[in-house]
Amino acid sequence: MKKYFIYLFVVLMMIFTLVSCQKSEPQQLIIGVLPDVDSIPFIIASEKGYFEDENVNVKIEYFKSPVDRDSALQSDNLDAAISDVLAQAFAHDNGFDIMITSMTNGSYKLLVNKDSNINNIKELKGKDIAISKNTIIEYTTDMMLEQENINPKDINKVIIPKIPTRLEMLQNGKIQAATLPEPLATVAMNNGSKLLNSSNNLNINPGVLIFTSKSINDKTKEIKNMYKAYNRAVDYLKTHDKVDYADILIEKAGFPDLIKDTLILPDYNEAKAPTKKDVEEVVKWLYEKGLISKEFKYEEIVNTTFVR
């Protein structure tokens, strides 16, 4: 009888341990990224094992255009994506239940081809500018033009969604001007492209991380742990030289080899919510252009459960 109880106790302990392990197994988070500096903390967190350390299973999916990224998100193939306020507002307006959970630290630059005789934004009137339509790229471009009292309707917007293609066309002289994210903007500049203006000079930062509401509700713990790993990656980037991780970015994100010499990173911040001003200015721009049906309030599209 004593042996029987010992045996039963061992079996019950094994079952308890098995159930406990199953309960603690984290659900997977799939995050979509583009080839820009916003994605770098996520790549570092993945490659340095920070996600694993924080008990969260994160899979990073790489996209070359915002259109492909948004399609994947809206078809439930992603939990989250590095995106922008514009994409979130479009999705929300079209009935997709997606929320902003934090801002990111991207930078966007308006450039002209090295052989162009254009030297300032005013000279872009009537010229071609390569952008991706209804995205942070177009918004930033419009803000740069309006700062110089140029009506965005007075330039010809050439829609080139894929960022590497936009870079290649600018460098090969197939397009006169283009707005590019970092680090590809710096690659273009090091190949001779001329800088006209930058989002940094405008003091705007509409880049964000967005999650589906389903993921926010079902994977709350995983998202919290993801942000712990993200903040560790930010700390790593602040304390390490780019030579320590440039090869990772080239291999994983498809950044050009040139970034080893040219990469200039933004001043990354630990995860925090976007400001009301940054969100409301973008929403106003979209509404005034007739691209969304109403001016969403900050609370309607931003979830501050995870960061403040």
Side-chain angles (χ1 to χ4, degrees):
M1 182 64 71
K2 185 177 180 181
K3 288 183 178 180
Y4 171 79
F5 281 114
I6 293 173
Y7 174 77
L8 181 61
F9 176 78
V10 171
V11 171
L12 289 174
M13 287 300 295
M14 290 175 65
I15 294 172
F16 177 79
T17 302
L18 180 61
V19 171
S20 297
C21 289
Q22 289 175 338
K23 286 182 179 179
S24 65
E25 185 69 27
Q27 301 182 80
Q28 186 180 62
L29 292 178
I30 306 176
I31 302 176
V33 304
L34 292 171
D36 55 33
V37 291
D38 300 75
S39 68
I40 291 176
F42 291 91
I43 297 169
I44 294 298
S46 178
E47 293 304 307
K48 294 297 176 182
Y50 297 155
F51 290 132
E52 187 177 356
D53 290 347
E54 299 296 341
N55 194 35
V56 57
N57 178 9
V58 173
K59 179 182 179 183
I60 298 177
E61 293 281 0
Y62 298 91
F63 296 89
K64 292 184 178 180
S65 83
V67 175
D68 295 338
R69 174 204 63 197
D70 293 345
S71 295
L73 186 68
Q74 293 171 14
S75 58
D76 291 329
N77 289 317
L78 298 175
D79 292 290
I82 295 174
S83 186
D84 53 73
V85 178
L86 293 87
Q88 197 286 338
F90 280 127
H92 200 82
D93 197 49
N94 285 289
F96 294 103
D97 202 0
I98 296 170
M99 297 293 288
I100 296 167
T101 57
S102 64
M103 63 175 283
T104 56
N105 297 113
S107 177
Y108 310 90
K109 291 179 168 60
L110 177 56
L111 307 161
V112 292
N113 174 265
K114 62 182 179 180
D115 297 321
S116 170
N117 57 4
I118 297 171
N119 295 301
N120 60 68
I121 288 180
K122 292 184 183 296
E123 294 174 352
L124 286 172
K125 195 170 182 178
K127 303 295 194 301
D128 294 341
I129 301 180
I131 62 163
S132 51
K133 189 172 179 59
N134 296 337
T135 65
I136 187 172
I137 292 293
E138 183 176 16
Y139 173 74
T140 303
T141 303
D142 280 7
M143 294 302 102
M144 292 177 190
L145 293 169
E146 290 175 3
Q147 187 183 50
E148 298 294 331
N149 297 315
I150 301 294
N151 189 326
K153 293 181 180 179
D154 290 338
I155 57 100
N156 180 36
K157 294 177 180 177
V158 180
I159 310 305
I160 305 173
K162 291 188 176 180
I163 302 169
T165 304
R166 204 181 314 148
L167 169 65
E168 182 182 350
M169 291 183 71
L170 176 69
Q171 294 187 141
N172 292 340
K174 295 180 180 178
I175 197 77
Q176 292 169 297
T179 303
L180 292 167
E182 287 289 11
L184 298 190
T186 296
V187 171
M189 290 166 61
N190 277 272
N191 286 331
S193 295
K194 295 180 285 186
L195 174 67
L196 296 186
N197 206 347
S198 167
S199 62
N200 299 334
N201 297 331
L202 300 179
N203 197 28
I204 58 174
N205 194 1
V208 294
L209 180 65
I210 55 179
F211 270 90
T212 65
S213 290
K214 183 178 186 302
S215 296
I216 290 173
N217 293 330
D218 296 347
K219 302 179 181 181
T220 303
K221 182 179 179 181
E222 285 80 2
I223 297 173
K224 288 180 178 178
N225 289 342
M226 179 218 72
Y227 274 117
K228 291 178 184 177
Y230 177 92
N231 289 339
R232 288 180 63 187
V234 167
D235 183 62
Y236 174 91
L237 290 166
K238 286 178 177 291
T239 56
H240 287 73
D241 191 271
K242 64 185 177 184
V243 297
D244 295 335
Y245 53 83
D247 287 335
I248 294 173
L249 304 181
I250 293 167
E251 177 189 353
K252 298 297 179 181
F255 290 162
D257 289 344
L258 282 172
I259 68 162
K260 289 184 178 181
D261 302 315
T262 64
L263 181 63
I264 300 174
L265 294 180
D267 184 17
Y268 288 112
N269 301 307
E270 289 194 354
K272 63 181 180 179
T275 67
K276 225 170 186 181
K277 175 179 174 290
D278 281 341
V279 172
E280 290 176 349
E281 285 184 351
V282 174
V283 170
K284 182 180 179 182
W285 179 82
L286 290 169
Y287 182 70
E288 289 179 347
K289 290 187 69 174
L291 296 172
I292 55 177
S293 60
K294 61 172 284 192
E295 283 194 64
F296 298 112
K297 296 178 181 178
Y298 182 84
E299 296 76 14
E300 290 182 88
I301 58 177
V302 179
N303 184 307
T304 55
T305 299
F306 306 102
V307 299
R308 296 288 178 181

